[in-house]
Amino acid sequence: NKYHASKKNGNFNSKDANIGCVFPSEIDESWFDSYSVGMPIVHRYVDEQGERWKMWYHGKNKDFHSNEDYKNVVDIGTGRIGVAISSDGINWKREKGQMALNSVLDINEEQWWGFDTCHIGLGDINLASSDKIQTDGGVYFMYYFGGDFSEFDVVKKLNFSNSPKGGNKGVQMRIGVAISQDGMNWSRFEGEHPNNSILECGHEGEWDSMFVGWPTVINYKKR
């Protein structure tokens, strides 16, 4: 969902845009998701207190592209990652994270060589806990993707007819992992590649040479 303000020509307004939506973008522009929200991953937990729902998602704030550094960054709705909670899976409340703009995982500003210094998006959340019942106790693994500020000219390199919306920066994305004990406070895992990703783009000419992203991870046991 990307719309709150009414459009002057009458094509839509904020009420119309949110029909049927259980989780619109945040009206408060001080949050990381005031422009868009996407890629929700929802877990349902059951314990002695009953059932609880937790949703991780990525979002982008309205001023994201106003920053001079981000003006030519590809616009695919990614930016930072946050959390919301619910008691029924329908009515949601955002949880304030400890990172920028209330996110729980921010753009990587600590490692200039990292693959995720420009924008990040959510792929999947796995929880290592009991096989019998799903509780929120255990170790969380967040599989996410991101891009840096290097430019990837898709028109020249891949013969695309147009550049992506926003620009060519951040197009070449990789996949990484973060871990947490509570689903709120995350630490990045240093992958085997120099930019700390766990999965790199393919070589030139391969099907995934432009980017890898939106990972889904399945846990299974050999029988």
Side-chain angles (χ1 to χ4, degrees):
N1 182 295
K2 293 185 179 179
Y3 304 112
H4 277 299
S6 297
K7 195 170 183 179
K8 292 182 179 179
N9 63 13
N11 287 344
F12 64 77
N13 57 40
S14 60
K15 185 176 180 180
D16 294 336
N18 291 334
I19 291 177
C21 181
V22 299
F23 195 76
S25 51
E26 176 56 66
I27 295 175
D28 186 345
E29 295 187 11
S30 67
W31 280 71
F32 75 96
D33 57 346
S34 60
Y35 174 68
S36 66
V37 294
M39 197 60 199
I41 300 295
V42 178
H43 286 192
R44 173 179 173 267
Y45 303 112
V46 180
D47 57 22
E48 63 276 2
Q49 299 175 6
E51 68 176 27
R52 285 169 292 144
W53 304 67
K54 187 175 289 187
M55 174 170 64
W56 295 265
Y57 64 99
H58 63 232
K60 179 180 289 186
N61 61 300
K62 287 184 177 179
D63 295 331
F64 188 89
H65 291 280
S66 297
N67 186 309
E68 190 66 32
D69 293 333
Y70 293 89
K71 281 189 174 179
N72 294 317
V73 172
V74 61
D75 184 3
I76 53 175
T78 50
R80 297 173 172 90
I81 295 172
V83 170
I85 57 172
S86 173
S87 60
D88 57 10
I90 301 296
N91 299 288
W92 294 92
K93 178 184 177 183
R94 286 170 168 82
E95 289 281 274
K96 276 192 174 184
Q98 299 299 313
M99 305 196 83
L101 304 179
N102 301 315
S103 63
V104 298
L105 190 67
D106 192 10
I107 297 165
N108 188 355
E109 296 183 345
E110 298 179 357
Q111 301 168 323
W112 59 266
W113 62 90
F115 72 95
D116 51 354
T117 55
C118 181
H119 66 103
I120 58 173
L122 183 60
D124 206 355
I125 300 283
N126 281 349
L127 175 60
S129 61
S130 170
D131 292 334
K132 304 293 184 182
I133 187 169
Q134 185 81 333
T135 70
D136 57 357
V139 178
Y140 294 83
F141 292 82
M142 177 191 289
Y143 297 89
Y144 71 100
F145 60 100
D148 59 23
F149 286 100
S150 61
E151 295 197 36
F152 186 89
D153 191 339
V154 299
V155 174
K156 181 178 180 180
K157 293 186 177 182
L158 300 177
N159 294 319
F160 280 26
S161 58
N162 296 297
S163 295
K165 181 182 178 183
N168 287 319
K169 289 184 179 180
V171 170
Q172 200 160 35
M173 298 173 285
R174 284 96 171 172
I175 294 172
V177 172
I179 57 175
S180 172
Q181 295 286 339
D182 59 7
M184 288 291 296
N185 300 284
W186 295 89
S187 297
R188 284 175 164 84
F189 177 83
E190 293 188 4
E192 63 178 329
H193 301 286
N195 55 20
N196 289 338
S197 66
I198 62 167
L199 187 63
E200 260 286 0
C201 300
H203 297 295
E204 187 173 349
E206 296 181 334
W207 67 275
D208 56 353
S209 61
M210 181 175 171
F211 67 84
V212 290
W214 292 271
T216 297
V217 178
I218 299 174
N219 293 326
Y220 71 95
K221 290 184 178 180
K222 292 184 179 180
R223 299 185 178 222

Short mmCIF file of all heavy atoms in Angstrom, two decimals, residues 133-158:
data_model
loop_
_atom_site.label_atom_id
_atom_site.label_comp_id
_atom_site.label_asym_id
_atom_site.label_seq_id
_atom_site.Cartn_x
_atom_site.Cartn_y
_atom_site.Cartn_z
N ILE A 133 5.51 -27.91 18.91
CA ILE A 133 4.65 -26.73 19.03
C ILE A 133 5.46 -25.48 18.73
O ILE A 133 6.64 -25.39 19.08
CB ILE A 133 4.02 -26.66 20.43
CG1 ILE A 133 2.98 -25.52 20.50
CG2 ILE A 133 5.08 -26.48 21.50
CD1 ILE A 133 2.14 -25.58 21.75
N GLN A 134 4.86 -24.55 18.06
CA GLN A 134 5.55 -23.33 17.66
C GLN A 134 5.39 -22.25 18.73
O GLN A 134 4.30 -21.71 18.92
CB GLN A 134 5.00 -22.82 16.32
CG GLN A 134 5.74 -21.64 15.75
CD GLN A 134 7.01 -22.01 15.02
OE1 GLN A 134 7.62 -23.02 15.31
NE2 GLN A 134 7.42 -21.20 14.07
N THR A 135 6.44 -21.95 19.46
CA THR A 135 6.44 -20.85 20.41
C THR A 135 7.42 -19.80 19.91
O THR A 135 8.15 -20.02 18.94
CB THR A 135 6.86 -21.32 21.82
OG1 THR A 135 8.25 -21.64 21.81
CG2 THR A 135 6.07 -22.55 22.25
N ASP A 136 7.45 -18.66 20.60
CA ASP A 136 8.38 -17.61 20.15
C ASP A 136 9.69 -17.66 20.91
O ASP A 136 10.43 -16.68 20.95
CB ASP A 136 7.73 -16.23 20.26
CG ASP A 136 7.27 -15.91 21.68
OD1 ASP A 136 7.40 -16.78 22.54
OD2 ASP A 136 6.79 -14.78 21.89
N GLY A 137 10.00 -18.80 21.51
CA GLY A 137 11.29 -18.99 22.18
C GLY A 137 12.23 -19.76 21.28
O GLY A 137 11.86 -20.79 20.71
N GLY A 138 13.45 -19.31 21.13
CA GLY A 138 14.41 -19.98 20.26
C GLY A 138 15.30 -18.96 19.58
O GLY A 138 15.42 -17.82 20.03
N VAL A 139 15.91 -19.37 18.49
CA VAL A 139 16.78 -18.48 17.73
C VAL A 139 16.13 -18.19 16.38
O VAL A 139 15.76 -19.10 15.65
CB VAL A 139 18.18 -19.11 17.51
CG1 VAL A 139 19.05 -18.19 16.68
CG2 VAL A 139 18.83 -19.42 18.85
N TYR A 140 15.99 -16.92 16.08
CA TYR A 140 15.39 -16.50 14.82
C TYR A 140 16.49 -16.31 13.77
O TYR A 140 17.55 -15.74 14.07
CB TYR A 140 14.66 -15.17 14.98
CG TYR A 140 13.45 -15.20 15.88
CD1 TYR A 140 13.57 -15.10 17.25
CD2 TYR A 140 12.17 -15.29 15.33
CE1 TYR A 140 12.45 -15.09 18.07
CE2 TYR A 140 11.04 -15.27 16.14
CZ TYR A 140 11.19 -15.18 17.51
OH TYR A 140 10.08 -15.17 18.32
N PHE A 141 16.19 -16.73 12.56
CA PHE A 141 17.07 -16.49 11.42
C PHE A 141 16.29 -15.66 10.40
O PHE A 141 15.24 -16.09 9.91
CB PHE A 141 17.51 -17.81 10.77
CG PHE A 141 18.42 -18.63 11.63
CD1 PHE A 141 17.90 -19.46 12.63
CD2 PHE A 141 19.80 -18.59 11.45
CE1 PHE A 141 18.73 -20.22 13.42
CE2 PHE A 141 20.64 -19.36 12.24
CZ PHE A 141 20.10 -20.17 13.23
N MET A 142 16.80 -14.48 10.10
CA MET A 142 16.18 -13.63 9.09
C MET A 142 17.00 -13.71 7.80
O MET A 142 18.17 -13.36 7.78
CB MET A 142 16.12 -12.18 9.55
CG MET A 142 15.54 -11.22 8.49
SD MET A 142 15.76 -9.47 8.91
CE MET A 142 14.60 -9.30 10.26
N TYR A 143 16.35 -14.17 6.75
CA TYR A 143 16.98 -14.20 5.44
C TYR A 143 16.47 -12.97 4.67
O TYR A 143 15.27 -12.84 4.43
CB TYR A 143 16.63 -15.49 4.71
CG TYR A 143 17.16 -16.71 5.43
CD1 TYR A 143 16.40 -17.34 6.41
CD2 TYR A 143 18.44 -17.18 5.18
CE1 TYR A 143 16.89 -18.44 7.10
CE2 TYR A 143 18.94 -18.28 5.86
CZ TYR A 143 18.15 -18.90 6.82
OH TYR A 143 18.64 -19.98 7.52
N TYR A 144 17.38 -12.10 4.36
CA TYR A 144 17.00 -10.84 3.72
C TYR A 144 17.90 -10.58 2.53
O TYR A 144 18.88 -11.28 2.29
CB TYR A 144 17.06 -9.69 4.72
CG TYR A 144 18.46 -9.29 5.15
CD1 TYR A 144 19.08 -8.18 4.59
CD2 TYR A 144 19.16 -10.01 6.11
CE1 TYR A 144 20.35 -7.80 4.96
CE2 TYR A 144 20.43 -9.65 6.50
CZ TYR A 144 21.03 -8.54 5.92
OH TYR A 144 22.31 -8.17 6.28
N PHE A 145 17.58 -9.56 1.76
CA PHE A 145 18.39 -9.20 0.61
C PHE A 145 18.62 -7.70 0.62
O PHE A 145 17.91 -6.94 1.29
CB PHE A 145 17.72 -9.65 -0.70
CG PHE A 145 16.37 -9.05 -0.94
CD1 PHE A 145 16.22 -7.97 -1.80
CD2 PHE A 145 15.23 -9.56 -0.33
CE1 PHE A 145 14.97 -7.41 -2.02
CE2 PHE A 145 13.98 -9.01 -0.55
CZ PHE A 145 13.84 -7.93 -1.39
N GLY A 146 19.61 -7.27 -0.12
CA GLY A 146 19.91 -5.84 -0.14
C GLY A 146 20.86 -5.48 -1.26
O GLY A 146 21.45 -6.34 -1.92
N GLY A 147 20.97 -4.17 -1.45
CA GLY A 147 21.86 -3.67 -2.49
C GLY A 147 22.74 -2.56 -1.94
O GLY A 147 22.45 -1.95 -0.91
N ASP A 148 23.84 -2.30 -2.65
CA ASP A 148 24.73 -1.20 -2.27
C ASP A 148 24.58 -0.06 -3.27
O ASP A 148 23.67 -0.06 -4.09
CB ASP A 148 26.18 -1.69 -2.15
CG ASP A 148 26.70 -2.30 -3.46
OD1 ASP A 148 26.16 -1.96 -4.54
OD2 ASP A 148 27.64 -3.11 -3.40
N PHE A 149 25.48 0.91 -3.21
CA PHE A 149 25.35 2.10 -4.05
C PHE A 149 26.01 1.97 -5.42
O PHE A 149 26.03 2.94 -6.17
CB PHE A 149 25.92 3.32 -3.31
CG PHE A 149 25.03 3.81 -2.20
CD1 PHE A 149 25.30 3.47 -0.89
CD2 PHE A 149 23.93 4.60 -2.48
CE1 PHE A 149 24.49 3.92 0.14
CE2 PHE A 149 23.10 5.05 -1.46
CZ PHE A 149 23.39 4.71 -0.15
N SER A 150 26.53 0.81 -5.73
CA SER A 150 27.12 0.64 -7.06
C SER A 150 26.00 0.64 -8.11
O SER A 150 24.86 0.25 -7.84
CB SER A 150 27.91 -0.67 -7.13
OG SER A 150 27.07 -1.78 -6.88
N GLU A 151 26.32 1.11 -9.31
CA GLU A 151 25.33 1.18 -10.39
C GLU A 151 25.43 -0.03 -11.29
O GLU A 151 26.51 -0.52 -11.59
CB GLU A 151 25.52 2.47 -11.19
CG GLU A 151 25.24 3.73 -10.38
CD GLU A 151 25.02 4.94 -11.27
OE1 GLU A 151 24.44 4.79 -12.35
OE2 GLU A 151 25.43 6.04 -10.87
N PHE A 152 24.27 -0.50 -11.73
CA PHE A 152 24.20 -1.63 -12.66
C PHE A 152 23.32 -1.19 -13.82
O PHE A 152 22.11 -1.05 -13.69
CB PHE A 152 23.61 -2.86 -11.97
CG PHE A 152 23.64 -4.11 -12.80
CD1 PHE A 152 24.74 -4.96 -12.76
CD2 PHE A 152 22.58 -4.44 -13.63
CE1 PHE A 152 24.77 -6.12 -13.53
CE2 PHE A 152 22.60 -5.59 -14.40
CZ PHE A 152 23.70 -6.44 -14.34
N ASP A 153 23.93 -0.93 -14.95
CA ASP A 153 23.22 -0.41 -16.12
C ASP A 153 22.51 -1.56 -16.85
O ASP A 153 23.12 -2.26 -17.66
CB ASP A 153 24.20 0.29 -17.06
CG ASP A 153 23.50 1.08 -18.16
OD1 ASP A 153 22.33 0.78 -18.44
OD2 ASP A 153 24.12 1.99 -18.73
N VAL A 154 21.23 -1.76 -16.55
CA VAL A 154 20.50 -2.89 -17.13
C VAL A 154 20.27 -2.70 -18.63
O VAL A 154 20.14 -3.69 -19.36
CB VAL A 154 19.16 -3.10 -16.40
CG1 VAL A 154 19.38 -3.41 -14.93
CG2 VAL A 154 18.25 -1.88 -16.55
N VAL A 155 20.21 -1.46 -19.09
CA VAL A 155 20.01 -1.21 -20.52
C VAL A 155 21.24 -1.66 -21.30
O VAL A 155 21.14 -2.33 -22.33
CB VAL A 155 19.72 0.28 -20.77
CG1 VAL A 155 19.65 0.56 -22.27
CG2 VAL A 155 18.42 0.68 -20.10
N LYS A 156 22.40 -1.30 -20.80
CA LYS A 156 23.64 -1.63 -21.49
C LYS A 156 24.04 -3.09 -21.31
O LYS A 156 24.42 -3.77 -22.28
CB LYS A 156 24.76 -0.72 -20.97
CG LYS A 156 26.10 -0.94 -21.64
CD LYS A 156 27.14 0.04 -21.10
CE LYS A 156 28.50 -0.18 -21.76
NZ LYS A 156 29.53 0.77 -21.23
N LYS A 157 23.95 -3.60 -20.09
CA LYS A 157 24.46 -4.94 -19.80
C LYS A 157 23.50 -6.06 -20.18
O LYS A 157 23.92 -7.15 -20.54
CB LYS A 157 24.82 -5.04 -18.32
CG LYS A 157 26.01 -4.17 -17.93
CD LYS A 157 26.43 -4.42 -16.49
CE LYS A 157 27.66 -3.60 -16.14
NZ LYS A 157 28.13 -3.85 -14.76
N LEU A 158 22.18 -5.79 -20.07
CA LEU A 158 21.20 -6.85 -20.30
C LEU A 158 20.24 -6.53 -21.44
O LEU A 158 19.27 -7.26 -21.66
CB LEU A 158 20.40 -7.11 -19.02
CG LEU A 158 21.22 -7.56 -17.80
CD1 LEU A 158 20.31 -7.71 -16.59
CD2 LEU A 158 21.94 -8.87 -18.08
#
